[in-house]
């Protein structure tokens, strides 16, 4: 569905625009939140164009009524809220959804969440968050779709379409955020500076936004960070020249919370009034915080302080969204139809999404649990109900505990539950009790992880490992020799280096939402096989961050790891003779590569691949648009039905700019019964082989030469087929 309306709508917009005063125009260019309803109502009477959701359908309707009947122009309201992965029914976090490698999971979340939120009067969500990030120190990595721009683009567009649908009464206007580069904050510290080249941004963080705009995203939110010294809230290059002029974005750009007035602490504006003028002039359309016009109608910037044509363009965009969403027709919602609790259907959708996200990092056969086993469940996530994840509202439908979900799956006599450890305070006695109990059981589930409050906004961690003595609990259970599995319930991926060496079976479940524990229990007992894949490379140590899979090869790619040993000679005297091993891009104190690679994940079955096949091994650049078909046969050679995620990575062997060693350009999740096989086909086009160059403005170029196409079950896939592109 496009924002471009029929001619009569654009004419109506121009007609209304032509009747607005300077202050009335500026009042449309802000959104504010007031916890007390009467204060929100006063804001609406003052002419504000957008408000945060007041909490239910009746109060939303009253604010819309005030806007229509008690203001001079009767312009309906945008009513915004962060509906990031659910409203009342909570779906897995976005990062968990990415691990499914199935964009239908994101679509299901967006559709269901939109219907729930819209029934209460919300018509604008500040989602999807599509910040590409390889940095798990940055707590907001949980809100995005991981380190890969292609996967993030796929999921971001799926959510935009899922939220917006046909712009009908059960849909939400989407907001792709945070534009741009927010996930590249230096040192992984939230809100910190970003100094990425346009070349790096074009082939990374910008791409998901280009795709989201192409998918018709109604709005884009500016990010808190600077890019090369210029705060994004005042960055004309990207807000206007790229987003609007080059990409043709017809919707609006909204600032992040107080992001405009933070131009003062950024040091690029002396006053809040200057900040407002700077931001709107750069291309921002709605300021979040209510600093453009005050409650008494005083404008922060006098007429003429901003180019009137820019102000008109901003108001036009705001009105376009309101017309597109049908708010000028009827902005009221039927109170009787408001949905404030999950329905069986929404729970089923959340459960179906949740079982597709967990990643089986390792399995020595301990999982799935054997029927009749005596199971000991320990760890803070045994009884914790904290499965909803970051960015959920206080009224979200709670999850149960893993213990309760397992009690539904296992005979009461066979499940024992002990705390074993807390999240933070060490508890030697609890550990000792768990260790003692282990010996009386056939298998131990060690349910550990990171509470939801440790990921999300302003939660950067310098050392993102398990907190408290959870790692000690794992090690002490391992020492008993009783078979055990680690169930890792977390928002961001955590560094696992302090216990992974003793853990032969690890299920990374993420925060899966309202139906999370039940989904985990289904996987643990084997009713469903896990098949999720890592959407972020899992580093061995925090010092390795950032280490995305799609990095450049460097001029000295490492072949062997380094070692902490004393050098007996000064390199200046003997020269860097050993450029193969010693003088290479590695760490002296780490093995090479990540702990677990991007795209990694196991299932309860095994899959085998035949050699990939390509329809044409040589193709002229001019013939690329129709695409080249590449296929691969995959077979389930295990004993149970399971899903496999077949992935396609492109490697440009020689390019005019240092190419990434791999780029994900295809993923297909399929279910195969034991013994069954299927041929999976991908179509490789110029979009998969080209890249944005380092010219300013950047150009998308497809160069001739040799490409290796790697296919398999993760980025470590070894089977490839060559494609030669000729001029
Ligand atoms: C926050 C977040 C943004 C959110 C906004 C409104 O600071 O950065 O993602 O949409 O405020 O809640």
């Amino acid at each position: 569905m496009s924002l471009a309306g029929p001619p009569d709508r654009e004419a109506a917009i121009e007609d209304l625009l032509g009747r607005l005063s300077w202050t009335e125009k500026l009042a449309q260019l802000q959104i504010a939140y007031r916890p007390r309803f009467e204060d929100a109502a006063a804001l609406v009477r003052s002419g504000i164009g957008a408000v945060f959701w007041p909490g239910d359908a009746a109060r939303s309707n009253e604010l819309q009524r005030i806007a229509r009947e008690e203001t001079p122009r009767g312009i309906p309201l945008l009513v915004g809220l962060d509906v990031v992965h659910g409203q009342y029914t909570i779906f897995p976090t976005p990062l968990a959804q990415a691990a499914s490698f199935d964009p239908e999971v994101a679509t299901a979340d967006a559709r269901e969440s939109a219907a729930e939120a819209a029934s209460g009067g919300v018509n604008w969500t500040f989602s999807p968050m599509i910040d590409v990030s390889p940095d798990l120190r940055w707590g907001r990595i949980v809100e995005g779709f991981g380190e890969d721009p292609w996967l993030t683009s796929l999921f971001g567009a799926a959510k935009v379409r899922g939220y917006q649908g046909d712009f009908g009464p059960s849909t939400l206007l989407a907001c792709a955020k945070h534009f741009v580069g927010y996930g590249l904050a230096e040192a992984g510290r939230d809100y910190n500076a970003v100094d990425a080249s346009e070349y790096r941004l074009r082939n990374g963080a910008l791409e998901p936004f280009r795709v989201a705009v192409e998918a018709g995203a109604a709005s884009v939110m500016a990010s808190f960070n600077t890019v090369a010294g210029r705060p994004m809230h005042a960055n004309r290059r990207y807000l206007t020249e790229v987003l609007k002029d080059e990409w043709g974005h017809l919707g609006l750009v909204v600032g992040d919370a107080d992001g405009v007035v933070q131009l003062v602490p950024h040091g690029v504006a002396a006053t809040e009034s200057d900040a407002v003028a700077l931001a709107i002039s750069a291309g921002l359309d709605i300021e979040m915080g209510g600093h453009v016009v005050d409650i008494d109608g005083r404008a922060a910037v006098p007429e003429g302080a901003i180019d009137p044509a820019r102000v008109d363009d901003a108001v036009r965009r705001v009105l376009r969204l309101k017309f597109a969403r049908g708010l000028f027709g009827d902005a009221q919602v039927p109170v009787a139809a408001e949905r404030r609790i999950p329905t069986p259907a929404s729970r089923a959708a959340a459960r179906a999404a949740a079982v597709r996200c967990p990643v089986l990092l390792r399995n020595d056969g301990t999982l799935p649990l054997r029927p009749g086993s005596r199971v000991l469940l320990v760890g803070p996530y045994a009884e914790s109900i904290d499965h909803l994840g970051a960015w959920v509202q206080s009224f979200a439908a709670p999850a149960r505990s893993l213990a309760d979900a397992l009690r539904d799956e296992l005979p009461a006599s066979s499940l024992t539950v002990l705390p074993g450890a807390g999240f933070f305070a060490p508890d030697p006695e609890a550990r000792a009790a768990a260790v003692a109990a282990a010996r009386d059981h056939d298998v131990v589930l060690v349910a550990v992880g990171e509470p939801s409050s440790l990921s999300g906004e302003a939660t950067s961690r310098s050392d993102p490992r398990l907190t408290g003595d959870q790692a000690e609990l794992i090690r002490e259970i391992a020492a008993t020799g009783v078979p055990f599995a680690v169930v890792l319930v977390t928002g961001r991926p955590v560094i696992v280096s302090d216990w992974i060496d003793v853990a032969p079976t690890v299920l990374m479940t993420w925060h899966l939402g309202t139906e999370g524990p039940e989904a985990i229990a289904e996987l643990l007992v084997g009713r469903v096989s896990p098949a999720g894949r890592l959407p972020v490379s899992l580093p061995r140590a925090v010092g390795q961050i950032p280490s995305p899979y799609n990095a450049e090869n460097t001029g000295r790619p490492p072949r062997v790891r380094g070692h902490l040993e004393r050098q007996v000679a000064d390199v200046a005297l003997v020269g860097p003779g050993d450029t193969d091993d010693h003088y290479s891009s590695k760490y002296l104190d780490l093995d090479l590569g990540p702990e677990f690679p991007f795209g990694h994940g196991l299932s309860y079955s095994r899959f085998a691949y035949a050699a990939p096949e390509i329809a044409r091994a040589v193709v002229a650049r001019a013939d690329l648009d129709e695409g080249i078909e590449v296929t691969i046969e995959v077979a389930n050679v295990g004993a149970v039905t399971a899903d496999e995620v077949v992935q396609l990575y492109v490697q440009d062997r020689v390019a005019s700019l240092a190419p990434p060693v791999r780029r994900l350009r295809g993923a297909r999740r399929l279910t195969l019964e034991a013994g069954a096989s299927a041929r999976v086909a991908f179509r490789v086009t110029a979009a998969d082989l080209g890249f944005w160059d380092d010219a300013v403005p950047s150009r998308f170029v497809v160069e001739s030469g040799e490409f290796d196409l790697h296919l398999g079950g993760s980025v470590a896939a070894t089977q490839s087929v060559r494609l030669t592109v000729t001029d």
Side-chain angles (χ1 to χ4, degrees), residues 374-378 414-418 434 437-438 441 443-445 477:
R374 295 169 299 156
V375 178
L376 171 64
L377 173 64
V378 298
S414 65
L415 178 65
T416 308
V417 181
L418 290 172
H441 290 79
V443 61
V444 185
L445 297 174
I477 293 294

Side-chain angles (χ1 to χ4, degrees), residues 52 82 126 140 143 177-178 182 191 221 224 256-257 288 391 457:
F52 274 80
D82 293 281
F126 307 124
R140 299 200 77 165
E143 295 174 57
K177 69 183 185 182
H178 306 81
Y182 189 24
Y191 316 123
M221 181 182 285
F224 286 124
D256 201 338
M288 183 180 283
W391 275 103
E457 186 168 355

Side-chain angles (χ1 to χ4, degrees), residues 355-694:
V355 294
R356 296 178 75 75
C357 303
V359 179
L360 186 59
L361 293 177
R362 278 185 178 163
N363 189 19
D364 66 352
T366 298
L367 292 180
L369 298 172
R370 305 278 182 283
S373 300
R374 295 169 299 156
V375 178
L376 171 64
L377 173 64
V378 298
Y381 262 106
E383 296 284 12
S384 170
I385 63 168
D386 178 7
H387 287 268
L388 301 189
W391 275 103
V392 297
Q393 305 292 344
S394 56
F395 47 73
R400 300 164 67 209
S401 69
L402 180 56
D404 283 344
L406 278 174
R407 287 185 185 107
D408 292 348
E409 294 283 351
L410 301 173
S413 61
S414 65
L415 178 65
T416 308
V417 181
L418 290 172
F423 283 117
F424 301 107
D427 188 342
E429 290 74 30
R431 289 205 320 271
V435 167
R439 296 186 177 88
D440 299 331
H441 290 79
D442 303 312
V443 61
V444 185
L445 297 174
V446 188
V448 293
E450 185 188 59
S452 298
S453 60
L454 295 192
S455 57
E457 186 168 355
T459 63
S460 294
R461 293 181 62 194
S462 69
D463 186 9
R465 292 184 291 165
L466 288 177
T467 52
D469 59 353
Q470 297 183 85
E472 285 79 2
L473 174 63
I474 296 170
R475 301 194 77 88
E476 290 177 8
I477 293 294
T480 67
V482 177
F484 74 101
V486 175
V487 179
L488 183 56
V489 183
T490 185
R492 62 153 57 78
V494 292
I495 300 281
V496 300
S497 57
D498 45 351
W499 53 268
I500 194 66
D501 58 312
V502 299
T505 299
V506 183
L507 179 67
M508 188 173 194
T509 73
W510 315 102
H511 286 138
L512 292 173
T514 302
E515 290 286 316
E518 289 76 9
I520 297 169
E522 275 194 59
L523 296 169
L524 292 174
V525 302
R527 272 202 293 119
V528 181
S529 165
R533 290 299 201 273
L534 287 177
V536 179
S537 309
L538 193 55
R540 296 178 187 281
V542 70
Q544 222 175 3
I545 296 173
S547 55
Y549 84 90
N550 53 359
E552 295 177 8
N553 198 30
T554 79
R556 292 189 177 181
R559 293 190 317 177
V560 292
R561 66 156 288 168
H563 293 283
L564 289 171
E565 55 200 12
R566 196 165 62 80
Q567 291 299 331
V568 294
D570 180 324
V571 70
L573 300 177
V574 298
D578 174 7
T579 54
D580 287 341
D581 292 341
H582 181 71
Y583 296 97
S584 60
S585 181
K586 66 180 183 306
Y587 297 95
L588 292 182
D589 51 358
L590 271 186
D591 281 335
L592 298 182
E595 191 74 60
F596 293 102
F598 178 87
H600 169 75
L602 305 176
S603 72
Y604 291 152
S605 194
R606 288 182 299 109
F607 292 88
Y609 288 86
E613 298 174 15
I614 188 165
R616 289 170 60 188
V618 181
V619 65
R621 242 181 332 178
D623 299 340
L624 272 175
D625 285 347
E626 64 194 45
I628 306 296
E629 187 176 72
V630 182
T631 64
I632 190 164
E633 183 90 7
V634 57
N636 180 341
V637 296
V640 297
T641 296
D643 285 12
E644 173 67 344
V645 177
V646 183
Q647 300 157 51
L648 164 67
Y649 293 86
V650 169
Q651 177 187 5
D652 190 340
R653 298 183 60 79
V654 178
S656 56
L657 295 168
V661 294
R662 293 279 191 284
R663 287 189 302 154
L664 179 70
R665 300 303 300 184
R668 190 78 39 74
R669 178 165 177 158
L670 71 162
T671 303
L672 286 177
E673 293 181 355
S677 64
R679 178 164 289 276
V680 174
F682 296 100
R683 187 158 289 278
V684 176
T685 67
D688 301 313
L689 303 175
F691 58 90
W692 291 93
D693 71 8
D694 61 346

Side-chain angles (χ1 to χ4, degrees), residues 704-724:
S704 57
E706 293 185 332
F707 297 81
D708 283 340
L709 309 179
H710 304 271
L711 293 92
S714 94
V715 71
T718 53
Q719 297 204 92
S720 62
V721 64
R722 180 151 302 170
L723 171 64
T724 301

